[in-house]
């Protein structure tokens, strides 16, 4: 048996450690997962209730066109239903874009570090990857423009960026769009948009009419608290969406996810509450870092990158022993940093205490 040569030796996606596994391995009663940027407050109670309803007919195929959630999203963000492409998470929309547009005669441009799935899927399709390092922690859009040539098909702008939490502002985004050739797709991945509070964050929906080469990605996995359901979508001009639709697997979003997403979308108050609580907790993490003289990147998401000055892997193990699953910065291009999801107020109180203990232990082990 022979897989494509570019897949040989490729690492599968490494998810954050599952909580139950950590509990078992370390004999801990309580474990907090602050690794995958899930909503620490969970989904809206309305979404949870909708799941109970949707689960009653497991034998019936889902609506492949996702008509109800399609209309709900269209109304919510003010576009036509035909402008939406649904996926089993926005991960699947990324996969579909790569499958539809990339091969070994093309290239794709992205930041580094950024969300891993752009590169992962592009490599599978055999495309050349052109990575442009972040500049002062932010997408270097000018540098990315320079990498575009006649073989470029997709440029990825993760906004706000994962793993840094930083964002591209409206002025920079607009200047970028004006210069990207019209036959090159710009993907604005807005997985964390519900958490954004910056006033100069671009309202990309307003640019869709002007740019046939713009696609926006959104997800129900983060602020909406439906990560386990696997549903997200892309928004673009109708013509682009139609040309991509043949790549979509027939029943790619399931009934339970569709119902849960409709209910979640209808509870804007809940999202607003989560955004406010999240901002408060981010502020707390920032204040702690300032007090301790730790560098951090200001975040527009529900996670933060913090420079502990200790190997990210060492901090990962040390925090794990205290019941906190975070992300080491080592695999994210920030070796002595950690990425932590902003938890609830209670979780963050315990987390900051654990972090303090770990940092003290490190200091002593270095001196001793
Ligand atoms: C989490 C995340 C996604 C994908 O989420 P899905 O669960 O597949 O919808 C996409 N982009 C970024 C930047 C993310 O952080």
């Amino acid at each position: 048996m022979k897989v494509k040569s570019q897949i040989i030796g490729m690492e599968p996606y490494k998810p954050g450690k599952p909580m139950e596994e950590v509990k078992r391995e370390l004999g801990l009663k309580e474990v907090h997962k602050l690794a995958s940027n899930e909503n620490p407050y969970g989904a809206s109670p309305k979404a949870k209730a909708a799941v109970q309803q949707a689960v009653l007919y497991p034998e019936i195929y889902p609506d492949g066109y996702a008509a109800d959630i399609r209309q709900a999203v269209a109304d919510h963000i003010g576009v036509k239903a035909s402008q939406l492409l649904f996926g089993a998470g926005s991960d699947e929309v990324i996969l579909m874009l790569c499958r539809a547009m990339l091969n070994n005669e093309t290239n794709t441009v992205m930041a580094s570090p950024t969300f891993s799935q752009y590169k992962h899927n592009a490599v599978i399709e055999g495309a050349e990857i052109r990575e442009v390092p972040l500049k002062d922690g932010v997408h270097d859009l000018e540098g990315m423009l320079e990498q575009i040539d006649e073989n470029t098909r997709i440029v990825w702008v993760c906004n706000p960026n994962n793993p840094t939490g930083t964002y591209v502002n409206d002025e920079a985004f607009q200047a970028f769009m004006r210069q990207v050739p019209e036959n090159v797709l710009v993907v604005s991945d807005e997985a964390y948009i519900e958490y954004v509070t910056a006033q100069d964050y671009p309202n990309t929906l307003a640019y869709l009419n002007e740019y046939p080469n713009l696609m926006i990605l959104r997800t129900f996995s983060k602020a909406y608290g439906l990560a386990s359901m696997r549903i997200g979508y892309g928004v673009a001009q109708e013509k682009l969406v139609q040309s991509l639709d043949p790549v979509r697997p027939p029943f790619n979003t399931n009934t339970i996810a569709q119902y849960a997403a409709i209910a979640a979308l209808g509870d804007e108050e809940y999202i607003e509450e989560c955004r406010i609580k999240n901002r408060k907790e981010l502020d707390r993490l920032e204040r702690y870092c300032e007090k301790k003289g730790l560098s951090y990147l200001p975040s527009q998401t529900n996670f933060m990158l913090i420079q502990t000055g200790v190997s990210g892997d060492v901090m990962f193990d040390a925090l794990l022993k205290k019941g906190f699953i975070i992300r080491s910065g080592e695999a994210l291009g920030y070796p002595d940093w950690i990425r932590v999801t902003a938890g609830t107020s209670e979780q963050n109180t315990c987390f900051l205490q654990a972090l303090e203990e770990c940092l003290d232990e490190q200091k002593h082990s270095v001196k001793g």
Side-chain angles (χ1 to χ4, degrees), residues 2 6 60 112 117 122 152 160 167 209 236 267 275 300 303 332 355:
K2 244 182 166 170
Q6 61 267 31
I60 307 294
S112 174
Q117 291 306 292
T152 305
Y167 74 106
N209 280 342
D267 196 353
R275 173 169 43 243
Q300 287 293 317
F303 61 82
L332 305 173
L355 179 62

Side-chain angles (χ1 to χ4, degrees), residues 202-234:
N203 174 17
T204 50
L205 287 169
Y207 306 140
L208 279 176
N209 280 342
E210 191 178 344
Y211 294 106
N213 61 328
L214 173 61
M215 175 168 270
I216 300 162
L217 300 185
R218 304 259 174 107
T219 180
F220 287 96
S221 297
K222 303 289 159 58
Y224 285 104
L226 298 176
S228 72
M229 300 277 144
R230 312 307 304 131
I231 184 162
Y233 59 91

Side-chain angles (χ1 to χ4, degrees), residues 204-279:
T204 50
L205 287 169
Y207 306 140
L208 279 176
N209 280 342
E210 191 178 344
Y211 294 106
N213 61 328
L214 173 61
M215 175 168 270
I216 300 162
L217 300 185
R218 304 259 174 107
T219 180
F220 287 96
S221 297
K222 303 289 159 58
Y224 285 104
L226 298 176
S228 72
M229 300 277 144
R230 312 307 304 131
I231 184 162
Y233 59 91
V235 200
Q237 287 190 10
E238 187 174 355
K239 200 170 154 216
L240 175 62
V241 168
Q242 270 175 2
S243 69
L244 295 168
D245 211 31
V247 175
R248 186 177 57 77
F251 302 106
N252 63 329
T253 61
N254 69 78
T255 308
I256 307 175
Q258 292 173 15
Y259 275 81
I262 292 169
L265 207 57
D267 196 353
E268 256 180 273
E269 247 173 67
Y270 184 79
I271 294 294
E272 174 72 17
E273 241 173 69
C274 290
R275 173 169 43 243
I276 292 168
K277 286 186 201 160
N278 176 66
R279 189 63 253 172

